[in-house]
């Protein structure tokens, strides 16, 4: 009986020739090499197809799916349909996976059998952008953080293929440009999530990323997901509170003391609603709300907050 491949790497590509060689190279140079590399060419009209084909000639682990341009959701789902690995590993065509990423994520998943999805911390680079994103590590922190934002860096994730299959958790087109946020909310109902507290992925920031129209769609989709997640867990809330919540989540703080008061009232309402529903760990939720309120105060310190 043929041994199952450990990892199926799924990487969609659309006009990614500028950074594609570096991204593919970072996968082929992993210290853990038991993987297949599924590259979905989503109707690229630049040199991406030739670059992918040239690598496939010298490394048989690369499998190519060529399709007309249908978007990232269709591309990812087409990759998942042919994936044979025990784990699904995401990768973007303009980023870099550090050499020990796969080894450390496989090791983590093998030692934490209750975890269905595992991400890592990331470092931003390029376009004069610096800094890191260190999303929460444990399940309870991640569940309550979903009230405000996504809790996994999408291209860093390792997912047990059996979870995808068991719950039919494919990507959906319902929430444009926030398909990952939607997926983590659904995964959180089915399995435990985690992040490894180590930077194993370099996320490139550049001018060819999501357009302004894409940002508008992403913000709208994220708003829908937040509203649904809050109502599913805490019950229906007023439009005024939803408006304040969106301002906090997008860090668009009103430059006046009334905004501070409304945010304070809303956070207390969240704590009150959760004390009745017990949807989230109350102490963890309070600590996260304290952190958000502290950020508001720091940003509005000129008002004397």
């Amino acid at each position: 009986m043929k041994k199952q491949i450990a990892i199926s790497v799924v990487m969609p590509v659309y006009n990614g020739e500028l950074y594609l060689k570096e991204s593919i190279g970072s996968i082929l140079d992993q210290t853990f090499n038991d993987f297949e590399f599924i590259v979905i060419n989503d109707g690229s009209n630049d040199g991406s197809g030739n670059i992918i084909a040239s690598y496939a000639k010298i490394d048989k682990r690369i499998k190519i799916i060529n399709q007309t341009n249908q978007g990232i959701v269709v591309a990812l789902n087409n990759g998942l349909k042919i994936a044979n690995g025990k784990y699904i590993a995401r990768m973007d065509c303009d980023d870099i996976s550090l050499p020990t990423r796969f080894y450390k994520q496989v090791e983590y998943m093998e030692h934490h059998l209750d975890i269905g999805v595992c991400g890592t911390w990331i470092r931003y680079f390029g376009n004069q952008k610096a800094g890191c994103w260190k999303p929460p590590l444990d399940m309870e922190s991640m569940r309550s953080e979903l009230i405000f934002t996504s809790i996994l860096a999408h291209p860093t994730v390792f997912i047990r293929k059996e979870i995808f299959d068991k719950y039919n958790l494919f990507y959906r087109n319902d929430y444009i440009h926030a398909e990952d946020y939607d997926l983590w909310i659904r995964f959180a109902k089915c399995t435990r999530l985690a992040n490894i507290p180590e930077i194993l992925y370099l996320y490139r920031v550049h001018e060819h990323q999501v357009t302004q129209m894409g940002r508008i769609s992403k913000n709208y989709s994220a708003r829908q997901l937040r509203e649904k997640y809050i109502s599913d867990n805490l019950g229906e809330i007023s439009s005024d509170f939803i408006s304040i919540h969106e301002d906090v989540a997008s860090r668009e703080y009103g430059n006046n003391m009334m905004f501070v008061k409304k945010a304070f009232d809303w956070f207390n309402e969240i704590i009150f609603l959760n004390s009745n529903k017990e949807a989230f760990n109350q102490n963890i939720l309070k600590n996260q709300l304290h952190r958000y309120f502290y950020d508001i105060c720091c940003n509005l310190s000129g008002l004397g907050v």
Side-chain angles (χ1 to χ4, degrees):
M1 183 176 178
K2 187 177 179 181
K3 180 178 176 291
Q4 183 183 24
I5 296 170
I7 307 168
S8 294
V9 187
V10 179
M11 183 175 79
V13 178
Y14 177 69
N15 289 351
E17 66 175 359
L18 195 58
Y19 308 114
L20 189 53
K21 290 181 180 179
E22 197 171 4
S23 295
I24 292 175
S26 77
I27 297 299
L28 300 182
D29 290 341
Q30 289 291 304
T31 58
F32 185 97
N33 55 30
D34 182 17
F35 62 82
E36 62 178 357
F37 191 2
I38 302 169
V39 184
I40 308 97
N41 182 12
D42 187 34
S44 297
N45 52 31
D46 63 356
S48 296
N50 291 332
I51 294 171
I52 298 165
S54 68
Y55 276 96
K57 287 180 181 178
I58 59 176
D59 197 312
K60 300 304 179 185
R61 293 174 296 182
I62 297 177
K63 298 180 179 180
I64 304 173
I65 298 176
N66 288 307
Q67 63 181 42
T68 58
N69 181 236
Q70 299 175 68
I72 188 172
V73 167
V74 173
L76 288 170
N77 285 337
N78 285 341
L80 288 172
K81 288 173 185 176
I82 69 165
N84 294 308
K86 180 178 181 180
Y87 302 109
I88 303 295
R90 276 284 287 111
M91 179 65 189
D92 279 349
C93 68
D94 47 4
D95 298 337
I96 296 172
S97 286
L98 296 181
T100 59
R101 176 195 163 191
F102 287 177
Y103 171 79
K104 290 184 177 181
Q105 286 188 281
V106 167
E107 182 179 48
Y108 183 89
M109 295 293 271
E110 291 293 309
H111 285 88
H112 298 83
L113 301 181
D114 60 324
I115 301 297
V117 186
C118 164
T120 81
W121 289 349
I122 64 174
R123 174 177 290 119
Y124 298 106
F125 75 108
N127 201 26
Q128 299 182 336
K129 172 99 176 172
C132 304
W133 182 35
K134 299 179 178 181
L137 305 179
D138 64 280
M139 183 64 185
E140 287 305 317
S141 296
M142 296 170 90
R143 286 188 67 253
S144 53
E145 186 72 11
L146 280 168
I147 293 173
F148 291 96
T149 188
S150 180
I151 38 73
L152 291 155
H154 189 194
T156 73
V157 295
F158 247 53
I159 305 172
R160 293 188 193 275
K161 179 65 158 52
E162 63 181 358
I163 303 292
F164 262 123
D165 296 340
K166 181 177 180 180
Y167 297 100
N168 197 32
L169 289 171
F170 284 94
Y171 290 89
R172 302 193 299 191
N173 260 318
D174 303 55
Y175 302 99
I176 300 172
H177 296 301
E179 65 281 338
D180 54 331
Y181 193 3
D182 169 48
L183 190 64
W184 311 146
I185 289 174
R186 288 184 287 136
F187 259 111
K189 297 177 181 178
C190 306
T191 187
R192 296 185 66 79
L193 317 176
N195 280 300
I196 296 175
E198 184 175 353
I199 293 169
L200 297 173
Y201 194 91
L202 305 183
Y203 185 93
R204 190 188 305 270
V205 180
H206 58 88
E207 61 186 8
H208 303 295
Q209 286 172 309
V210 180
T211 63
Q212 182 60 30
M213 285 300 295
R215 290 189 188 94
I216 292 171
S217 297
K218 181 174 183 177
N219 291 340
Y220 178 74
S221 294
R223 179 185 179 115
Q224 288 182 299
L225 286 164
R226 280 190 286 267
E227 287 186 31
K228 186 176 187 306
Y229 187 71
I230 291 170
S231 63
D232 285 350
N233 286 280
L234 298 177
E236 296 297 327
I237 56 176
S238 72
S239 58
D240 287 344
F241 277 148
I242 281 291
S243 178
I244 288 295
H245 187 79
E246 287 307 309
D247 289 340
V248 172
S250 58
R251 302 185 84 248
E252 295 179 359
Y253 308 145
N255 191 27
N256 56 71
M257 287 300 296
M258 183 57 68
F259 178 85
V260 179
K261 181 183 184 306
K262 287 182 177 180
F264 183 80
D265 290 344
W266 167 229
F267 287 175
N268 278 315
E269 180 72 5
I270 293 176
I271 293 168
F272 171 74
L273 292 171
N274 191 60
S275 68
N276 293 326
K277 297 284 188 177
E278 297 183 345
F280 308 105
N281 179 292
Q282 188 78 318
N283 288 331
I284 289 175
L285 179 63
K286 285 181 178 180
N287 285 335
Q288 289 175 320
L289 294 176
H290 291 161
R291 176 166 51 83
Y292 275 95
F293 193 71
Y294 177 76
D295 187 66
I296 293 170
C297 293
C298 287
N299 277 272
L300 300 182
S301 60
L303 298 175
V305 179

